[in-house]
Amino acid sequence: NVQHFDSKIIGARYYNSQNFYDTTDIIPLRDSVRHGTHTASIEAGREVAGASVFGLAQGIARGGISNARIAVYKVCWAMGCSIADILAAFDDAIADGVDIISASFGMSAAYTFTDDPVAIGSFHALKKGILTITAAGNYGPLCAPISNVSPWLLTVGASTIDRKFVTQLALGNGKTFMVSNSYLPYSNFCRPRNFHL
């Protein structure tokens, strides 16, 4: 439904000063890898009935602030993200008067505050009363360092939950077992798997 999306996305800009385009990119503003769509749904997705993870935990899914509107500032491409583009997007978002900035990307390790475009841009945003929310890093689910560490950021990361999902495991020899794992279908690589037979 086009009208449904027209009222959700209220602005869109893209930046590519370094020509980071690749054949996999959709130019200029479409989400080639669905990362932006995924993170936007976490933040501002409307209610969707019948959502599940491969049939588990079926129910209603919704974003944190489901009535929020989205302004898109696309800075990352298949070949990378330019520091100049990140800073330009922060400047534009501040000038556009957004309420919150979500920067759901991270470097391979923490940079010094004076070299980190997210730290610099978010500092200027906070001076204008705009909070920036960032991803802890972008190298999960493997154990990895947190890259967005500036004290003026709200940095979030994935975690496990205390729910158990029980399902049937069928072996090639015809035997079946009931198994549970609090984090299906992916395992937490930072600690041993939690299967119970």
Side-chain angles (χ1 to χ4, degrees), residues 56-128:
L56 301 174
Q58 189 166 350
I60 296 174
R62 64 179 291 271
I65 307 171
S66 58
N67 291 328
R69 304 271 198 280
I70 298 170
V72 178
Y73 301 83
K74 183 175 180 177
V75 297
C76 293
W77 305 87
M79 302 294 287
C81 315
S82 162
I83 289 174
D85 292 345
I86 293 170
L87 292 172
F90 267 105
D91 285 347
D92 285 343
I94 294 166
D96 290 343
V98 302
D99 297 309
I100 295 176
I101 295 172
S102 172
S104 186
F105 51 86
M107 313 302 180
S108 57
Y111 284 33
T112 61
F113 297 154
T114 55
D115 294 330
D116 182 352
V118 175
I120 295 166
S122 62
F123 184 79
H124 289 283
L126 193 60
K127 284 172 55 179
K128 298 290 187 180

Side-chain angles (χ1 to χ4, degrees), residues 1-193:
N1 184 330
V2 174
Q3 293 175 345
H4 177 78
F5 289 106
D6 284 345
S7 62
K8 177 61 79 173
I9 299 175
I10 59 170
R13 300 176 188 252
Y14 73 97
Y15 309 79
N16 194 0
S17 64
Q18 301 297 312
N19 293 319
F20 281 145
Y21 294 131
D22 182 77
T23 55
T24 59
D25 284 314
I26 302 172
I27 301 169
L29 284 166
R30 296 278 306 277
D31 185 358
S32 308
V33 297
R34 299 183 222 48
H35 179 263
T37 302
H38 166 71
T39 55
S41 70
I42 292 170
E43 297 145 7
R46 294 206 171 111
E47 287 190 357
V48 177
S52 71
V53 178
F54 298 106
L56 301 174
Q58 189 166 350
I60 296 174
R62 64 179 291 271
I65 307 171
S66 58
N67 291 328
R69 304 271 198 280
I70 298 170
V72 178
Y73 301 83
K74 183 175 180 177
V75 297
C76 293
W77 305 87
M79 302 294 287
C81 315
S82 162
I83 289 174
D85 292 345
I86 293 170
L87 292 172
F90 267 105
D91 285 347
D92 285 343
I94 294 166
D96 290 343
V98 302
D99 297 309
I100 295 176
I101 295 172
S102 172
S104 186
F105 51 86
M107 313 302 180
S108 57
Y111 284 33
T112 61
F113 297 154
T114 55
D115 294 330
D116 182 352
V118 175
I120 295 166
S122 62
F123 184 79
H124 289 283
L126 193 60
K127 284 172 55 179
K128 298 290 187 180
I130 303 168
L131 175 65
T132 300
I133 302 170
T134 60
N138 206 25
Y139 288 86
L142 300 173
C143 293
I146 295 174
S147 60
N148 290 313
V149 296
S150 304
W152 50 86
L153 295 172
L154 176 57
T155 301
V156 297
S159 66
T160 58
I161 59 175
D162 61 357
R163 295 174 66 186
K164 286 187 178 178
F165 299 109
V166 179
T167 191
Q168 193 175 64
L169 173 67
L171 302 179
N173 63 5
K175 292 186 178 182
T176 59
F177 299 92
M178 295 305 291
V179 298
S180 69
N181 185 322
S182 61
Y183 197 38
L184 282 174
Y186 308 105
S187 63
N188 183 339
F189 289 89
C190 296
R191 62 183 177 155
R193 293 184 181 205

